[in-house]
Amino acid sequence: MSTDFHQKSVSLLSEQLAEKGIDIQELLSKISAFQIAVPSWALGAGGTRFGRFSIGGEPRNLEEKLDDIGLLARLTKKTDAVSLHIPWDIPQDAQAIRQKAAELGISFDAMNSNTFQDYGQSLSYKMGSLSNANAAIRQQAVEHNIQVIEIGKSLGSKGLTVWLADGSNFPGQAHFRKALQWTEESLKSIYSKMPDDWKLLLEYKPYEPNFYHTVIPDWGTSSFLCRQLGGRAKVLVDLGHHLPNTNIEQIVATLMHQGMLAGFHFNDSKFGDDDLSTGSIKPYQLFLIFCELVGGAEENAQAWESISWMIDASHNTKDPIEDLIQALESIAQAYAKALLVDRAKLAQCQVEGDVVGAQEILQDAFLTDVRALVREARVRSGGEDDPLAFYRKEKIREKLIAKRGKNSQASGL
Amino acid sequence: MSTDFHQKSVSLLSEQLAEKGIDIQELLSKISAFQIAVPSWALGAGGTRFGRFSIGGEPRNLEEKLDDIGLLARLTKKTDAVSLHIPWDIPQDAQAIRQKAAELGISFDAMNSNTFQDYGQSLSYKMGSLSNANAAIRQQAVEHNIQVIEIGKSLGSKGLTVWLADGSNFPGQAHFRKALQWTEESLKSIYSKMPDDWKLLLEYKPYEPNFYHTVIPDWGTSSFLCRQLGGRAKVLVDLGHHLPNTNIEQIVATLMHQGMLAGFHFNDSKFGDDDLSTGSIKPYQLFLIFCELVGGAEENAQAWESISWMIDASHNTKDPIEDLIQALESIAQAYAKALLVDRAKLAQCQVEGDVVGAQEILQDAFLTDVRALVREARVRSGGEDDPLAFYRKEKIREKLIAKRGKNSQASGL
Amino acid sequence: MSTDFHQKSVSLLSEQLAEKGIDIQELLSKISAFQIAVPSWALGAGGTRFGRFSIGGEPRNLEEKLDDIGLLARLTKKTDAVSLHIPWDIPQDAQAIRQKAAELGISFDAMNSNTFQDYGQSLSYKMGSLSNANAAIRQQAVEHNIQVIEIGKSLGSKGLTVWLADGSNFPGQAHFRKALQWTEESLKSIYSKMPDDWKLLLEYKPYEPNFYHTVIPDWGTSSFLCRQLGGRAKVLVDLGHHLPNTNIEQIVATLMHQGMLAGFHFNDSKFGDDDLSTGSIKPYQLFLIFCELVGGAEENAQAWESISWMIDASHNTKDPIEDLIQALESIAQAYAKALLVDRAKLAQCQVEGDVVGAQEILQDAFLTDVRALVREARVRSGGEDDPLAFYRKEKIREKLIAKRGKNSQASGL
Amino acid sequence: MSTDFHQKSVSLLSEQLAEKGIDIQELLSKISAFQIAVPSWALGAGGTRFGRFSIGGEPRNLEEKLDDIGLLARLTKKTDAVSLHIPWDIPQDAQAIRQKAAELGISFDAMNSNTFQDYGQSLSYKMGSLSNANAAIRQQAVEHNIQVIEIGKSLGSKGLTVWLADGSNFPGQAHFRKALQWTEESLKSIYSKMPDDWKLLLEYKPYEPNFYHTVIPDWGTSSFLCRQLGGRAKVLVDLGHHLPNTNIEQIVATLMHQGMLAGFHFNDSKFGDDDLSTGSIKPYQLFLIFCELVGGAEENAQAWESISWMIDASHNTKDPIEDLIQALESIAQAYAKALLVDRAKLAQCQVEGDVVGAQEILQDAFLTDVRALVREARVRSGGEDDPLAFYRKEKIREKLIAKRGKNSQASGL
């Protein structure tokens, strides 16, 4: 869009929103303030069990990953933090890494542990980790998590995300109740080692990599475990971790109602944990989720600041940096649209049973073209007019390939 | 099967089980003791929103419903209780009904309330009942439940089953958190009126009759509400009330782990809440559920006696009595097979990570033909050799039609 | 939106589209020309198997149904035809009905037969109709369809829609291959009686009202049958008739590729055949479907004019007329957005493997706020600025209730 | 089971079946004759995108894969063929391999091509192969398939299995109709090079590794393409390649009705293409599929001999050889049970609308414990009493590890 059209669009929107009692300046401030973390494993090409297609120019180490996120931050002004995965990204020199990140305007979001792979540790996680029937393996997995906390402390992180892939592929393989009990005990050991100003973000997922049962398959199990741990353990929602047709926005509301929402892993999906770009498949669902978030925060169910935001997608056929630019833009749009909802009128429709009116109000917000708003907020924050166009015009991927090579491969999946 | 083959089968099984250390007499006792309630609405033809096809000879009142269940009890020796639905089955004379039931060997299982239809009450449930934004409607729904408790008390029932159909068809229609809050408050009012020796069985269901959101969509929400109520509120599992691919046996184990399993509504399904005959579509899943039940009770997660058992199916194309005979038989088979599982060996396989061995143990039990066992238990209890053959030979449906008419219609769905 | 903002929006859009080489006048013409039929059963309250909540003022006969559709046509200028259901809407005097419809600017779209209910015919459809194992029942169902053709001829209709609900609830109940064979034979008998300028629209649906197997469950089976019939038999796509996660837009493309797309039944759904308002749940999917339609027509896969358009939704909690206004608006928006797609650039991205660019192009169209365009087209055609606001301001439902009564009930589901 | 119990079980079954008019000798012959191919990639540990856990002793080359299959054949007498995957298993010396296989009693089933990975070929399949927008890539993929045919000819294979993973991850990425058209053209080129006594087995799959659209997502698309090719192209059914809740047995029947069933890839699944052991999750579904196969062959819809049988599973947590022993046993059981169905009585129930009776007949067959039959057939053919027990007692995996090493890795996924 040309600058001229952009200004005209902002003007017209400003007028229209003013009429609805919405102050565009305040809107722009909120949009600007909203920042989403990027995981360190999202800068390389992803893959499936059937293969992986290299993208070229992938970061070869943690420093280069930070460079890529720094670039993203500079272009989009929508991310200011990285979420590290251990052991993929163990910093050799924590102070140096921390300083480099600070220079790029990047802080350290929640740390991620890994007990779903064998990467040289002494005991195998083939039959599970925190839930393993073997106490020594559970202990090893607990210690790994404690090590991750230690690394995080050295970087200034304030959270530990636990995605427990444990489960079973066949009936009989696992003892459901014991596995749950052992998981509770393991998590308690980890929780007890977590600093007081940290939070534990406990993920759930119904299937994959286990295909009969997963120890923490749903929000109910995750919140049950969190309750056993204490007030700093909360439930992490990954948008792709649900059975077909799940009403995710309702889960978000239910968790906020209990003060149990830790945060998000954003992505999109059509079939399962497809890890597609956020907003690429079900943009209306993303908007509805943000409506719950904005509403829940306004109505003091749970404070906005208490919620963590992160992208968690895979990039099988896209340039990861381009993918992240698209995802950050989609998330910003969904948030901006949710801010447009006339919540007072909506509440009135709900009281009156005006189903048609309620739909009109939500759709009025969703159908509004907020791209000019998001762009205006970005530009005012010092970001690029059009980050994707800039990235392409500047031939950044080509430069990365020239520097890092065609076949560099980032650690991760 | 002829009597001769039956005896040979029992003998051979007896020998084989003895070798495995299983005492067939004890097995027969357990099978005989297991009783499943039948709902009063299951004696007529069911239907879909597209229509209903009459079966003929349907019971015209509560007395005739009891007659049908009495017949079922006599033939199968697998049911000894009826679960009433109010207002479909308000007894005119509670004492007389109670006496009639006693004569038939039938007691009164949990009572069912109905706030999902308009049947002449002053305020409409169109926009919900216990979760309605209108306090007067919530109050009416609470009072209806209290009335159901009163009726139940007069009949000797000890439980109230609440299936809350409340929800919304479109985004925006309902306020998720408020609806949950109002539901909690309404349930608290009901719970407070429940006698001390009663339990509240709280059902969950992801969709239908509402198609965007249901107030209590999953076990997590149901157990959250039960925790707010008190120790006598527990979660009811209806096999058809799950999203595609849900691992139901795991939910059963998770609820037992928390002492939160109220009981079951048995049926089967391929697509949704299809309300097909129990065991007709996924018999292995039914067996796995019983494995969790038997294991959970043996390991003292939750006492067997604390769990309620009921069939809840619809009969669109089958004679309801024949359907119930098939369902009771399938449930008994699943239970009998679960009793055959070598739990000590299974535990060992689980500890050793012997996935193949664990599968062998479960399948050894499942593949065993236990029909002779179930039949032997039934006959020893005074039931029929082959209840279905008896029902047909005696032309009971024809007799019911002669007595009640071709177009009688039982109250219910 | 005020008239002032409307004009500004149209102006700005006009400028922006001109820059992209899109002529807004041509766009408005296309939007205006696009008309969607309304079924005669959509003017009353819908229901589920659990109950039905009356809306009041429902049309009591075919004449009143036409009045409602005439009103819709006048307000929205997006519908000019009605699709009748037999036996629910057998006209007593075809000529009179035809003349009344003509006066309202309403023509007769495809006729719908009903062999899924018993409504007094001599043989029951309980075990199926066109696929029934009993030849006499098949013959009765064939004759019913032929009667529907006759009625349609008298009204000027040019098509017969067959939704075959036949199937089975339990394994073993039906013989899959024979049922398919009998269906083919029955359809051939019907097809042979269809005038040369008619088309047969053959619907598919995976489940409901049968819950184990449906004779025509998917587009593959429907197209197989159509091929046996002849070139005027094509596949009808009802958006709600798919298994979870189905890529419906791909089915639309595949059918157009074969020249086999008969048309649509528009609605929306989250779980199954929920029959929710079109565009209320998955608006992006609706847009993607229209992208295939517009593209397929432009590239001569199948002519736009050869496709039939109809709404088929149920209205359990909304005023049916309001619901239809919303649905027609959503469909018009999806169509308008699809017309904005830069197909030349998209084709280039596809050739170059520019996945990110392709997504940008589609989202650029989808994110554009086209409401002003749809409104402008409507107003130029003589419709209302804001049909829903008009309907409410004029208190039309109240007037209908005053005229027709609070408890009138339209024939239908 | 002891030999004594085995003999008693066979005797009792023999008597019971005789009473039903089933000749046990004929049954045993049919069971013995039924052979299922094993793919060359099934002898190593499988994995997911999250990792892979080594099993130890995996075959290091094609010769060792044949050794493993030879062992399986000897123990189970249920497999006599291997299905090769190219390029994973290009034989260095076709004659030598053919001779080795012959010595082991192994022939060469359908060949499998691979155009879903980059393994050093000049052009990348990242954006697809047979459907690629780039003609040169399509040509390369066609030539690869032709090369696979040539290798197959040298080994005595008679079929080519094409699993086309092509598709797209995001809306807009692919042009649905063009992709289908290009696929058709590519397949025609391949088909034209296929010997006259070969068949082409065309697989379908709804998703994975592509997560928005797959070029051949369902049986309808696969059969459409086969019709364009000619009579020797037929549809391959992989049990895991369906959307949730699909009625697979109906698809089998529909394909047989058209003479379009190429054969099977056996496995089992709870969530998607989980590639679990056949029969481990949904044994009743497997039985129902075999009912259609047996019925379709008996009624001459399609000849039994025209159908290909292969296992296609992954072994993430089981010893692959043990897994295959379990799978072969489950398939044999399902087949044996399907042979017990009283088809004449079933047909009568279907004609009479006796839904209850039809279910009884199917369940009578399914509930029969046929393990003694399958064992008897195996032993008479020269196989082991209990292949799994033998494999463990002989410590075959330990011996393979000793010979091949702990970290050998079989080519495959």
Side-chain angles (χ1 to χ4, degrees), chain C residues 127 132-134 169-178 180-182 184 207 212-221 223-224 227 243-247 249-251 253-254 256-258 284 288 292 295-297 299-301 343 346-347 349-355 358-359 362, chain D residues 127 132-134 169-178 180-182 184 207 212-221 223-224 227 243-247 249-251 253-254 256-258 284 288 292 295-297 299-301 343 346-347 349-355 358-359 362:
Chain C
M127 293 294 153
N132 200 299
N134 181 328
N169 276 318
F170 298 96
Q173 176 182 340
H175 188 298
F176 294 146
R177 285 177 291 106
K178 284 187 192 165
L180 192 55
Q181 180 63 32
W182 286 322
E184 181 184 325
Y207 64 97
Y212 167 63
H213 129 269
T214 300
V215 174
I216 311 180
D218 52 24
W219 75 264
T221 308
S223 68
F224 164 75
R227 279 197 310 276
L243 291 173
N245 305 338
T246 301
N247 186 325
E249 53 270 31
Q250 183 181 3
I251 292 176
T254 300
M256 292 185 87
H257 182 63
Q258 304 172 70
Y284 195 50
L288 293 173
E292 293 308 316
E299 294 165 22
N300 297 315
R343 303 192 64 79
L346 181 64
C349 288
Q350 289 166 345
V351 166
E352 293 171 358
D354 184 359
V355 183
Q359 179 175 320
L362 288 189
Chain D
M127 292 297 151
N132 201 299
N134 180 328
N169 277 316
F170 298 97
Q173 176 182 339
H175 188 298
F176 295 145
R177 286 178 289 104
K178 283 186 192 165
L180 193 54
Q181 180 63 32
W182 285 323
E184 179 183 327
Y207 64 96
Y212 167 62
H213 131 268
T214 299
V215 174
I216 311 180
D218 52 23
W219 76 264
T221 308
S223 68
F224 165 76
R227 280 197 309 277
L243 290 172
N245 305 339
T246 301
N247 186 325
E249 53 269 31
Q250 184 182 3
I251 292 176
T254 302
M256 290 184 88
H257 183 63
Q258 303 173 69
Y284 195 50
L288 293 173
E292 292 308 316
E299 294 165 22
N300 297 316
R343 302 192 64 80
L346 182 64
C349 288
Q350 290 167 345
V351 166
E352 293 171 359
D354 183 0
V355 184
Q359 179 176 318
L362 288 188

Side-chain angles (χ1 to χ4, degrees), chain B residues 10-30:
Chain B
V10 173
S11 282
L12 188 52
L13 264 171
S14 181
E15 267 188 86
Q16 289 173 323
L17 295 177
E19 182 135 310
K20 291 177 180 178
I22 300 174
D23 175 14
I24 200 171
Q25 302 308 328
E26 197 186 332
L27 204 59
L28 291 171
S29 297
K30 285 185 179 173

Side-chain angles (χ1 to χ4, degrees), chain C residues 43 55-60 64 67-68 71 319-321 391 394-408:
Chain C
L43 285 318
I55 193 72
E58 296 186 17
R60 295 162 296 182
E64 291 186 351
D67 285 335
D68 285 5
L71 171 70
D319 177 323
I321 295 176
Y391 178 84
E394 294 295 318
K395 296 187 184 304
I396 295 178
R397 177 58 54 188
E398 289 83 339
K399 291 174 185 164
L400 292 173
I401 291 174
K403 187 175 167 196
R404 300 171 183 172
K406 185 71 197 160
N407 298 313
S408 65

Side-chain angles (χ1 to χ4, degrees), chain C residues 132-194:
Chain C
N132 200 299
N134 181 328
I137 296 177
R138 295 200 298 275
Q139 185 56 28
Q140 175 185 273
V142 165
E143 281 164 13
H144 166 71
N145 274 277
I146 293 170
Q147 180 206 7
V148 173
I149 293 173
E150 290 307 313
I151 295 172
K153 282 158 69 175
S154 74
L155 294 168
S157 171
K158 295 293 178 196
L160 172 69
T161 294
V162 175
W163 169 50
L164 186 65
D166 287 20
S168 59
N169 276 318
F170 298 96
Q173 176 182 340
H175 188 298
F176 294 146
R177 285 177 291 106
K178 284 187 192 165
L180 192 55
Q181 180 63 32
W182 286 322
T183 300
E184 181 184 325
E185 291 165 14
S186 297
L187 287 171
K188 278 181 176 163
S189 298
I190 296 166
Y191 189 83
S192 72
K193 301 293 187 184
M194 214 174 62

Side-chain angles (χ1 to χ4, degrees), chain B residues 38 42-46 55 72 76 266-268 274-280 311-331 388 391-392 397, chain C residues 169-170, chain D residues 355-357 359-360 363:
Chain B
V38 169
L43 287 317
I55 192 73
L72 259 176
T76 68
F266 288 116
N267 50 52
D268 211 336
D274 308 338
D275 275 339
L276 303 181
S277 320
T278 316
S280 65
I311 290 175
D312 184 12
S314 190
H315 320 283
N316 302 336
T317 46
K318 285 181 176 176
D319 177 322
I321 295 176
E322 293 193 351
D323 192 334
L324 289 163
I325 290 172
Q326 290 187 310
L328 290 167
E329 175 75 12
S330 286
I331 295 168
L388 188 58
Y391 179 85
R392 291 190 164 194
R397 176 60 53 191
Chain C
N169 276 318
F170 298 96
Chain D
V355 184
V356 166
Q359 179 176 318
E360 289 291 303
Q363 293 199 341

